[in-house]
DNA sequence: GTCTATATAGAGATAGAC
DNA sequence: GTCTATCTCTATATAGAC
């Protein structure tokens, strides 16, 4: 991502939407954080939904990059799945404070009946399909792979929410250990 | 709960906070839904935080009642834990639409850095402590009971979030089945 | 206890100068 | 591309009549 004003806005909005939520983040918040005026802001994005749309696209892009990185760094499908499991530890500090960025955004947009909910959900689908294809490589049939991907997604999601609610970073380590054990049992 | 205007406000606010989120629910929304004027509304609650506080107290009260009901209806601790597991099915229609009422509220209040987050989290603690005491009755030691309660809380939470994100009611049935199997294995 | 009318602040959004 | 100034709408909140 380059350093244009537009990209700096997207980066700041991405962080603020995660930390404060979409609705609770105002144009002023973003403009102040970027260090530009509100008027300038509107030169780059005409509506709040436009910036949300850009943030979702950015997150989709980063997610694809992350999945590709895991795919190239690990040769075995079970090792790749472990990469997913361990993001709870990699991002533990932020998860403790703000929960899962994917789950909290889709939950909020759902309650707002926001038209871009559909696009935010694509981030979940990206993870789900990638996980399912790893389970298939492990030798599972298509329908079981899909089910296992959903299960793992749900487990990670729950771990993040509970760790955040109880402000418990240590819990994330226990959960990751438990998820890895689960993976070794089912594979 | 009686039928006074105050109680009707709490009931409506409880539902709207769940469906639309706390911040996205306005006084007008509540007043309109109750069928009173905004002016009358302020006779009963002076600030938005006051009504949130009343809603949280109401939810704490209902949760205690629910746990007591499970306690009296089921003699065995594992059957009581199953009651908790199966609320995902009991409330499946609403969970699909709005997620878990406890998790989504605490997540939202966390992002708002809201002072009443502490009180909202007490609902989680109520479930956690009750589950832990059931695991103790099953013969688990104190620290393991606590850990198992947190695990089950996380699992249910994740199932709700993913079912809601994917609009998948059927997934809740699969998850409940999986949680019951887990309970039978560990007990 | 309930209403109408109103005050005030902050949000999203625009116009136009530089 | 960036700024200041301004508009409009809606949300929280208050005052005071009935």
């Amino acid at each position: 991502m380059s350093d244009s004003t537009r990209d700096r806005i997207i980066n700041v909005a991405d962080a603020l939407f995660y930390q404060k939520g979409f609705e609770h983040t105002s144009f002023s918040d973003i403009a102040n954080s970027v260090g530009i005026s509100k008027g300038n802001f509107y030169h780059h994005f005409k509506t709040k939904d436009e910036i949300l749309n850009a943030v979702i696209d950015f997150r989709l892009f980063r997610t694809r990059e992350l999945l590709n990185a895991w795919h190239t760094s690990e040769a075995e499908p079970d090792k790749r799945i472990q990469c997913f499991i361990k993001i709870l530890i990699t991002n533990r500090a932020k998860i403790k404070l703000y929960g899962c960025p994917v789950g909290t955004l889709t939950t909020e947009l759902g309650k707002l009946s926001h038209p871009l909910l559909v696009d935010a959900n694509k981030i979940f689908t990206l993870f789900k399909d990638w996980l399912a294809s790893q389970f298939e490589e492990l030798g599972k049939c298509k329908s079981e792979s899909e089910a296992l991907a959903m299960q793992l997604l749900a487990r990670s999601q729950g771990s993040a929410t509970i760790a955040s609610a109880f402000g418990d970073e240590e819990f994330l380590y226990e959960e990751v250990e438990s998820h890895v054990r689960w993976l070794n049992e089912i594979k």
Side-chain angles (χ1 to χ4, degrees), chain A:
Chain A
M1 178 165 275
S2 84
D3 204 36
S4 69
T5 300
R6 187 191 149 88
D7 290 340
R8 276 161 56 219
I9 290 172
I10 294 173
N11 265 305
V12 163
D14 176 45
L16 289 178
F17 288 173
Y18 179 35
Q19 292 160 19
K20 298 166 61 102
F22 169 67
E23 191 166 31
H24 193 55
T25 301
S26 69
F27 279 155
S28 303
D29 289 333
I30 302 172
N32 286 339
S33 190
V34 173
I36 57 171
S37 67
K38 279 205 293 179
N40 187 1
F41 187 100
Y42 278 90
H43 173 74
H44 300 280
F45 295 97
K46 270 173 259 305
T47 68
K48 203 179 175 184
D49 287 357
E50 247 179 57
I51 160 103
L52 174 61
N53 196 54
V55 166
I56 292 173
D57 280 346
F58 177 44
R59 291 191 185 183
L60 281 166
F61 171 78
R62 267 191 327 201
T63 303
R64 283 192 200 96
E65 283 204 319
L66 184 70
L67 297 176
N68 286 339
W70 291 343
H71 210 89
T72 42
S73 75
E74 303 292 337
E76 301 301 322
D78 62 321
K79 291 285 174 198
R80 291 181 189 148
I81 297 171
Q82 279 197 28
C83 288
F84 172 81
I85 290 175
K86 287 175 183 166
I87 43 174
L88 288 183
I89 292 180
T90 313
N91 301 332
R92 62 186 180 280
K94 286 191 176 179
I95 288 172
K96 177 188 164 184
L97 288 170
Y98 317 115
C100 166
V102 191
T104 56
L105 181 64
T106 57
T107 298
E108 182 182 2
L109 296 185
K111 300 223 185 224
L112 303 184
S113 299
H114 198 288
L116 288 176
L117 168 63
V118 182
D119 297 283
N121 274 329
K122 287 178 187 162
I123 309 174
F124 261 140
T125 306
L126 226 48
F127 278 111
K128 192 204 68 183
D129 291 346
W130 183 86
L131 284 171
S133 78
Q134 303 314 311
F135 283 114
E136 282 198 67
E137 279 197 46
L138 269 179
K140 305 287 177 189
C141 73
K142 203 171 175 63
S143 69
E144 199 193 346
S145 296
E146 186 86 3
L148 289 169
M150 289 281 280
Q151 264 185 57
L152 182 51
L153 220 51
R155 278 181 174 238
S156 299
Q157 194 54 226
S159 308
T161 306
I162 294 299
S164 175
F166 286 94
D168 189 345
E169 235 173 272
E170 178 57 30
F171 178 65
L172 291 171
Y173 283 95
E174 295 163 20
E175 287 287 280
V176 164
E177 220 177 290
S178 159
H179 299 166
V180 171
R181 263 199 312 276
W182 168 83
L183 175 62
N184 287 326
E185 280 161 19
I186 60 117
K187 88 181 179 196

